[in-house]
Amino acid sequence: QVQLVESGGGLVQPGGSLRLSCAASGSIFTINTMGWYRQAPGKEREWVAFINRSGSTNYADSVKGRFTISRDNAKNTVYLQMNSLKPEDTAVYYCKLHQWYSGRWVDDWGQGTQVTVSS
């Protein structure tokens, strides 16, 4: 059983910054990747960024250069620093833990945190 709890969302003006956090607890295994996804109203959920345990990262083109993902393995926590926010970044942001367990990949999701970019 895994629990993922996101925090840090809110309302910010265009050009502003927010930092999201996602703390994982429960059955966490060593082979895993943590990532962020987002879903805007009326749109499908899309991938934003991910990071593996060794710190390798990857970003969607839409956020590259503006968002930074990081993690603290000791705390099983992943962060998303979002700078130069745009109205089109408005969405519910979800944390995902993707880990190898019992011979297969298993995904767990957080409940989501709302990010609204508006003047």
Side-chain angles (χ1 to χ4, degrees), residues 8-61:
L11 172 64
V12 64
Q13 292 187 343
S17 298
L18 281 176
R19 188 191 194 212
L20 306 182
S21 300
C22 172
S25 60
S27 301
I28 310 298
F29 301 95
T30 56
I31 302 175
N32 69 64
T33 297
M34 299 188 78
W36 290 95
Y37 289 70
R38 66 187 182 186
Q39 187 167 18
K43 295 188 176 181
E44 293 187 355
R45 190 173 297 188
E46 64 176 3
W47 162 70
V48 174
F50 69 77
I51 183 169
N52 65 17
R53 281 187 63 88
S54 64
S56 295
T57 60
N58 206 347
Y59 298 91
D61 287 343

Side-chain angles (χ1 to χ4, degrees), residues 3-116:
Q3 296 80 41
L4 297 168
V5 179
E6 299 116 331
S7 60
L11 172 64
V12 64
Q13 292 187 343
S17 298
L18 281 176
R19 188 191 194 212
L20 306 182
S21 300
C22 172
S25 60
S27 301
I28 310 298
F29 301 95
T30 56
I31 302 175
N32 69 64
T33 297
M34 299 188 78
W36 290 95
Y37 289 70
R38 66 187 182 186
Q39 187 167 18
K43 295 188 176 181
E44 293 187 355
R45 190 173 297 188
E46 64 176 3
W47 162 70
V48 174
F50 69 77
I51 183 169
N52 65 17
R53 281 187 63 88
S54 64
S56 295
T57 60
N58 206 347
Y59 298 91
D61 287 343
S62 59
V63 306
K64 202 171 292 184
R66 300 187 298 122
F67 291 9
T68 302
I69 190 170
S70 60
R71 65 187 286 172
D72 183 334
N73 290 332
K75 297 180 179 179
N76 289 319
T77 299
V78 64
Y79 306 94
L80 186 68
Q81 177 66 43
M82 305 185 294
N83 298 329
S84 302
L85 282 161
K86 305 174 181 180
E88 52 264 43
D89 294 317
T90 296
V92 177
Y93 283 70
Y94 297 90
C95 170
K96 186 178 89 168
L97 172 65
H98 180 67
Q99 59 180 347
W100 183 254
Y101 172 67
S102 283
R104 62 189 181 99
W105 289 101
V106 176
D107 291 337
D108 289 282
W109 293 87
Q111 81 287 354
T113 185
Q114 176 71 46
V115 171
T116 303

